[in-house]
């Protein structure tokens, strides 16, 4: 008989998405992430849709290679994604993946030096795997000035924020790179 499932809602978002924790009768813990981003419009909505599609592409394209290299990420067991013809106005995505909280049960708000080195080593291995490789998406990261102009306009132009506002266009240009490589690391949603 199929395993019995017990589910717990971890989070629900306004754009008809949810993340569920699933416990099976054989003590596996899995995560289901489901997103229906079919209602919405504007720059913010389009950025979210592009990010969801990019996340699905990341797990479909790179997860197996990263896991094979010993870089611990959630193992995707199922990734389904569909997008509107323009790729940014709507999408439906669904993920079934392993729950990293089984292997890494402790949530940290502060780290010891050893824990910090472990985290930085993981980040270096992860991003180093994609150094100077083709990008997954031109704007796969979530923060770009061109998609956050409303928020940018709300930054107070008094010190110290005026320095950030003045640097924002150069930071965006660096993060975007030249379009052929990621400027040094993979952008994964």
């Amino acid at each position: 008989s199929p395993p019995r499932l017990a589910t717990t809602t971890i989070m629900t978002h306004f754009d008809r998405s949810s993340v569920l924790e699933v416990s099976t009768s054989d003590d596996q813990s899995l995560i289901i992430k489901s997103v229906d981003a079919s209602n919405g419009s504007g720059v913010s909505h389009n950025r979210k849709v592009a990010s969801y599609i990019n996340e699905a592409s990341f797990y479909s394209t790179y997860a197996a290679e990263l896991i094979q290299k010993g870089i611990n990420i959630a193992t995707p067991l199922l990734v389904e994604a569909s997008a509107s013809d323009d790729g940014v106005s709507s999408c439906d995505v669904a993920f079934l993946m392993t729950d990293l909280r089984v292997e890494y049960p402790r949530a940290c708000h502060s780290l010891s030096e050893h824990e910090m080195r472990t985290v930085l080593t993981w980040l270096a291995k992860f991003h180093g795997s994609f150094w100077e490789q083709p990008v997954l998406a031109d704007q796969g990261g979530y923060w770009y000035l061109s998609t956050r102009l409303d928020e940018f306009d709300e930054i107070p132009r008094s010190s110290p924020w005026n320095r950030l506002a003045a640097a924002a266009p150069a930071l965006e240009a660096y993060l975007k790179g030249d379009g052929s490589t990621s400027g040094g690391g993979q952008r994964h949603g």
Side-chain angles (χ1 to χ4, degrees), residues 6-13 17-22:
T7 64
T8 304
T9 301
I10 297 173
M11 67 178 86
T12 307
H13 297 287
S17 66
S18 61
V19 178
L20 303 173
E21 175 185 13
V22 178

Side-chain angles (χ1 to χ4, degrees), residues 33-188:
K33 179 177 180 179
S34 173
V35 178
D36 174 0
S38 58
N39 293 330
S41 62
V43 173
S44 178
H45 173 77
N46 292 355
R47 177 183 62 244
K48 290 173 190 168
V49 169
S51 180
Y52 292 133
I53 294 298
N54 194 46
E55 181 182 11
S57 184
F58 168 80
Y59 280 107
S60 296
T61 306
Y62 296 108
E65 177 185 342
L66 290 169
I67 293 165
Q68 185 178 12
K69 289 180 179 180
I71 300 170
N72 295 333
I73 63 169
T75 301
L77 305 173
L78 174 71
V79 178
E80 295 286 335
S82 63
S84 55
D85 289 339
D86 65 5
V88 294
S89 60
S90 69
C91 73
D92 291 302
V93 294
F95 303 91
L96 174 63
M97 53 184 51
T98 57
D99 186 351
L100 287 175
R101 294 174 304 166
V102 172
E103 195 171 346
Y104 305 99
R106 190 173 145 237
C108 299
H109 298 289
S110 65
L111 300 172
S112 68
E113 182 177 343
H114 172 74
E115 291 167 328
M116 177 192 61
R117 289 182 184 280
T118 300
V119 169
L120 292 174
T121 298
W122 182 91
L123 286 167
K125 286 180 183 178
F126 177 84
H127 288 282
S129 295
F130 300 103
W131 199 261
E132 298 301 323
Q133 297 297 313
V135 296
L136 189 58
D138 290 339
Q139 288 197 7
Y142 203 70
W143 186 88
Y144 286 101
L145 182 58
S146 60
T147 64
R148 298 254 182 194
L149 292 175
D150 292 340
E151 293 95 332
F152 181 71
D153 289 340
E154 293 176 12
I155 294 175
R157 294 306 194 258
S158 59
S159 186
W161 298 108
N162 57 350
R163 292 177 57 205
L164 174 62
L171 289 169
E172 178 183 40
Y174 175 78
L175 289 170
K176 283 184 174 179
D178 65 6
S180 63
T181 63
S182 63
Q186 185 60 272
R187 294 188 287 261
H188 48 88

